[in-house]
Amino acid sequence: VQVVESGGGSVQAGESLRLTCRASGDTDICEGWFRQAPGKPHETVARDNGVGTWMYSSSVKGRFTISYGSAKNILYLQMDNLKSEDTARYKCFCSGEMGAGTQVTVSS
């Protein structure tokens, strides 16, 4: 499976971005978004908790929304009211594989 993330960019604090993750196979299932900033540990941003609901990191809850596209091999992350601490490389996990990620940079 190939996983490709897109939609990152450089924005000002308070602005929004929507990230898209696409897995190559129609039957692949994308499970969540993760991020890593330089010098910081890998963080789960939002993911399927295995019982049909989404789980969010406390640092993004209320500002980020994860959702599927037309199928479970497409996964979105709507990020609103971005903060400088959201600056990181965002990666998606699908069917056992993680993509190269997309960079999000937020300036205060």
Side-chain angles (χ1 to χ4, degrees):
V1 56
Q2 290 185 326
V3 180
V4 179
E5 302 94 339
S6 61
S10 296
V11 297
Q12 296 290 318
E15 294 183 342
S16 299
L17 283 172
R18 188 173 85 153
L19 305 183
T20 300
C21 170
R22 294 180 186 271
S24 55
D26 291 342
T27 58
D28 289 326
I29 297 176
C30 294
E31 300 172 29
W33 285 95
F34 307 84
R35 67 186 182 186
Q36 188 162 26
K40 294 185 178 180
H42 192 251
E43 179 185 9
T44 300
V45 177
R47 65 171 179 83
D48 183 347
N49 68 356
V51 293
T53 58
W54 299 112
M55 183 191 79
Y56 294 89
S57 165
S58 59
S59 63
V60 307
K61 197 169 186 178
R63 300 187 296 120
F64 290 12
T65 304
I66 188 173
S67 62
Y68 282 122
S70 56
K72 290 188 174 182
N73 67 329
I74 302 172
L75 191 64
Y76 300 115
L77 185 67
Q78 177 67 38
M79 306 187 295
D80 298 319
N81 189 22
L82 282 160
K83 303 177 179 181
S84 58
E85 51 263 43
D86 294 319
T87 294
R89 190 158 193 87
Y90 286 70
K91 298 183 178 183
C92 178
F93 188 76
C94 306
S95 297
E97 296 290 337
M98 190 169 282
T102 184
Q103 179 67 34
V104 172
T105 302
V106 184
S107 302
S108 56

